[in-house]
Amino acid sequence: MDALIRKLEHFTQFTDEERQALASLSDLPVVVGPRQDIIREGDNPTGVNLIVEGYAIRYKALPDGRRQILGYFVSGDICDLRVFVLKRMDHSIAALTPVAVRVISEKRILEMTDRYPRIMRALWWTTLVEESISREWLLSMGQRTAAERIAHLFCEIYYRARIVDLVEGHRVALPLRQTDLAEMTGLSVVHVNRVLQDLRKQGLITFDGQVLTILSPEKLEAFALFDPLYLHMDEGKGTVTRTAPVTARAG
Amino acid sequence: MDALIRKLEHFTQFTDEERQALASLSDLPVVVGPRQDIIREGDNPTGVNLIVEGYAIRYKALPDGRRQILGYFVSGDICDLRVFVLKRMDHSIAALTPVAVRVISEKRILEMTDRYPRIMRALWWTTLVEESISREWLLSMGQRTAAERIAHLFCEIYYRARIVDLVEGHRVALPLRQTDLAEMTGLSVVHVNRVLQDLRKQGLITFDGQVLTILSPEKLEAFALFDPLYLHMDEGKGTVTRTAPVTARAG
DNA sequence: CGCCCACTTGATTAATATCAAATACTGTGG
DNA sequence: CCACAGTATTTGATATTAATCAAGTGGGCG
């Protein structure tokens, strides 16, 4: 829950009461094994999932088995906040690594957002950021080369992990296989492997399947044509809490 | 405005009063010339745009000029319903063909959704469908071949146009250039041209830059691995208006 | 130890981009 | 009505990117 609050506070500032409400939002976390589905396409979802620990993904598959990862969740991310409006999931959500999730019922979400409009606005913000990310992915898929695409993904992970204090030095715990990267970027595993070697050779990153190290954020961002604007960090503070000072941009 | 109501009624059934409220929502339409920006990246949007006529697009560009179309709007589509939460646009919206838009202020939207929860829900539905479409595009970009991707796009256009009565026979007015298709699919113009020839040769479609004809919807859908589920048509009726009969699926 | 994965490497092929030129189409002015 | 300019489409040839196929290597673990 901590991570959620930390993340939302990049958008707004909460009162203690609001923070309290957020903290008491959900039940105990459930642990999901790696590569297990959390929600499957076609399901009628009953609650919202808050990722407490680990990496989860959205994915979608074609009938012949080709599979595309559409996005990922880190600690503090909420899956499918407004999914109650739709009848059936049009995609699946799965744990990539071991994941701890807290399930929050629709009722609780509604109670809380009714009582605390600022929380509602903050939650909206998270879904808008998620959409923005998905647009950036579309740009990546359509226009960035394989190397740029992977580099860009690493930049994004770096930023998103940092928001919730998952970065130390320039290192992020990132227990992914190269096949996962392949499914995220729409590339073949072999090609991902070669691109990774190339990025390593260029001295931009280090990645061993467990830890991603960004050797030079500036260089990597330049290479990837990465512009963090699409993550909309820190930008709501001024508008929502009008009296609060605007803090410096993270990073 | 008609098209909007027609579209929303694929999700729910309105009372006359609600329909009235929707109809009186906005001012006179403004006409935007083809290839003109409607909102530009970095802008702080002041209102919501309802497309009355024509095709508009979302797009995003890299600093070196590469450009990706992220989605398109047909009559009845609303751009950026909840954009007030974010400070700045992270992408642009432009007219592809001549477009008529109605601008709706945030205030009006809020008044209406406060008074008519069913309208609020219906508007939410449209944004969820839009997100779903963007996920499907990601799947297309990552996993579908060039030909499948274009075929899939045509299927989608066919369905979305049909919702708002823009299809006659199996023909849709679609005044696009091949470069537009290229930017939508992340392909080069030359390759789009060849794929189009191929689809024509296979007897699946006809397209002359003005009118798209789907010669055999079944064959085209099979070829494109198209499953209309992601468009979430007709699926909310049962849940929102509990007394209303569930109508047959369109198509 | 030996097996199962994941990763790596090399060779080849397929998909798609790029470059360059030719053809068609659209609207305009004479 | 024609000539022309400008743009869009088409075609051909070639280059590049990335996929596929096939065969290693290497590490973790029962």
Side-chain angles (χ1 to χ4, degrees):
Chain A
M1 189 55 63
D2 246 21
L4 173 62
I5 296 176
R6 213 169 315 142
K7 189 177 79 155
L8 295 182
E9 290 199 321
H10 272 263
F11 172 70
T12 191
Q13 304 230 317
F14 292 123
T15 63
D16 284 343
E17 188 187 346
E18 285 164 341
R19 226 171 277 131
Q20 199 60 36
L22 277 166
S24 65
L25 194 61
S26 79
D27 305 320
L28 284 178
V30 180
V31 175
V32 181
R35 329 260 145 202
Q36 299 276 306
D37 281 334
I38 297 174
I39 311 173
R40 205 163 296 146
E41 183 168 347
D43 285 1
N44 182 359
T46 57
V48 144
N49 293 285
L50 170 66
I51 307 296
V52 178
E53 179 90 51
Y55 289 91
I57 52 163
R58 277 181 207 287
Y59 71 88
K60 204 160 179 173
L62 292 174
D64 62 11
R66 282 175 277 174
R67 192 172 102 129
Q68 177 65 36
I69 294 179
L70 309 164
Y72 59 92
F73 304 102
V74 306
S75 318
D77 286 341
I78 295 182
C79 325
D80 298 302
L81 204 43
R82 299 137 311 150
V83 90
F84 308 111
V85 175
L86 297 180
K87 238 194 212 147
R88 325 174 138 276
M89 288 291 289
D90 52 57
H91 64 278
S92 304
I93 290 176
L96 202 55
T97 67
V99 156
V101 289
R102 293 180 197 260
V103 180
I104 310 175
S105 68
E106 180 177 18
K107 185 160 147 281
R108 271 217 174 130
I109 294 273
L110 291 180
E111 280 168 11
M112 189 177 56
T113 51
D114 276 357
R115 181 147 6 143
Y116 305 103
R118 204 198 319 254
I119 291 181
M120 178 169 79
R121 233 177 136 85
L123 291 178
W124 272 11
W125 169 73
T126 65
T127 74
L128 288 168
V129 169
E130 209 186 304
E131 283 169 53
S132 174
I133 290 172
S134 131
R135 284 189 293 266
E136 187 72 31
W137 279 41
L138 223 26
L139 175 61
S140 268
M141 293 294 239
Q143 303 301 327
R144 276 188 254 256
T145 65
E148 289 168 352
R149 219 178 294 168
I150 292 180
H152 190 274
L153 174 62
F154 284 159
C155 290
E156 184 188 298
I157 290 172
Y158 181 63
Y159 272 73
R160 285 178 64 183
R162 202 165 41 179
I163 291 180
V164 288
D165 288 343
L166 252 36
V167 172
E168 223 184 291
H170 290 160
R171 292 177 312 125
V172 196
L174 190 69
L176 301 192
R177 298 183 196 151
Q178 297 185 356
T179 53
D180 300 323
L181 289 175
E183 289 187 332
M184 289 195 206
T185 51
L187 299 165
S188 71
V189 201
V190 175
H191 200 59
V192 166
N193 182 284
R194 287 178 172 136
V195 167
L196 285 176
Q197 291 180 47
D198 191 58
L199 295 178
R200 283 191 277 247
K201 214 172 296 165
Q202 287 188 53
L204 297 173
I205 58 142
T206 270
F207 176 60
D208 64 358
Q210 293 300 322
V211 175
L212 168 68
T213 308
I214 312 285
L215 296 176
S216 162
E218 302 78 37
K219 277 190 204 158
L220 188 68
E221 289 179 25
F223 177 83
L225 302 169
F226 179 85
D227 176 350
L229 217 141
Y230 77 99
L231 295 172
H232 295 279
M233 288 159 58
D234 292 310
E235 78 172 28
K237 288 185 176 176
T239 57
V240 175
T241 312
R242 285 178 207 260
T243 54
V246 177
T247 58
R249 146 160 267 130
Chain B
M1 187 58 61
D2 247 20
L4 173 63
I5 295 175
R6 214 169 314 143
K7 189 177 81 157
L8 295 182
E9 288 198 324
H10 273 263
F11 171 70
T12 191
Q13 305 231 316
F14 292 122
T15 63
D16 284 343
E17 188 187 346
E18 285 163 340
R19 226 170 279 131
Q20 198 60 38
L22 277 166
S24 65
L25 194 60
S26 77
D27 305 319
L28 285 178
V30 178
V31 175
V32 180
R35 329 260 145 200
Q36 299 278 304
D37 282 334
I38 297 174
I39 311 173
R40 205 161 297 147
E41 183 167 347
D43 285 0
N44 182 1
T46 56
V48 145
N49 293 286
L50 169 66
I51 307 295
V52 179
E53 180 89 51
Y55 290 91
I57 52 163
R58 276 182 206 289
Y59 71 88
K60 205 163 176 170
L62 292 175
D64 61 12
R66 281 176 276 173
R67 192 172 104 130
Q68 177 66 37
I69 293 179
L70 308 164
Y72 58 91
F73 304 102
V74 305
S75 316
D77 287 341
I78 295 183
C79 324
D80 298 301
L81 204 43
R82 299 139 308 149
V83 90
F84 307 113
V85 176
L86 297 180
K87 238 196 212 144
R88 328 174 135 275
M89 289 291 288
D90 51 57
H91 64 277
S92 305
I93 291 177
L96 203 53
T97 66
V99 155
V101 290
R102 291 181 198 260
V103 180
I104 310 175
S105 68
E106 181 178 18
K107 184 161 148 280
R108 269 212 176 136
I109 293 272
L110 292 179
E111 279 169 12
M112 187 178 56
T113 51
D114 275 356
R115 180 147 8 144
Y116 305 104
R118 204 198 319 256
I119 291 181
M120 178 169 77
R121 235 176 134 87
L123 291 178
W124 272 11
W125 168 74
T126 65
T127 75
L128 288 167
V129 169
E130 208 186 303
E131 284 170 53
S132 175
I133 290 172
S134 131
R135 284 189 292 269
E136 187 73 31
W137 278 41
L138 223 26
L139 174 61
S140 269
M141 293 294 243
Q143 303 300 327
R144 277 188 253 257
T145 64
E148 289 168 352
R149 218 177 297 166
I150 291 180
H152 191 275
L153 174 62
F154 284 159
C155 291
E156 185 188 298
I157 290 171
Y158 182 62
Y159 272 72
R160 285 178 63 183
R162 201 164 42 178
I163 292 180
V164 288
D165 289 343
L166 252 35
V167 172
E168 223 184 291
H170 290 161
R171 294 177 309 125
V172 196
L174 190 69
L176 301 192
R177 300 184 196 150
Q178 297 185 356
T179 54
D180 299 324
L181 289 174
E183 291 187 330
M184 289 195 204
T185 51
L187 299 165
S188 70
V189 201
V190 174
H191 200 57
V192 166
N193 181 282
R194 288 178 171 135
V195 166
L196 284 176
Q197 291 180 49
D198 190 57
L199 295 177
R200 282 191 277 245
K201 214 172 297 167
Q202 288 189 54
L204 297 174
I205 58 142
T206 267
F207 176 60
D208 64 357
Q210 292 300 321
V211 175
L212 169 69
T213 308
I214 312 285
L215 297 176
S216 163
E218 303 77 37
K219 277 191 204 158
L220 188 68
E221 290 180 23
F223 177 84
L225 303 168
F226 179 85
D227 176 350
L229 217 141
Y230 77 101
L231 294 173
H232 295 279
M233 286 159 59
D234 291 310
E235 77 174 26
K237 289 185 177 176
T239 58
V240 175
T241 311
R242 285 178 206 261
T243 53
V246 176
T247 57
R249 148 162 267 130

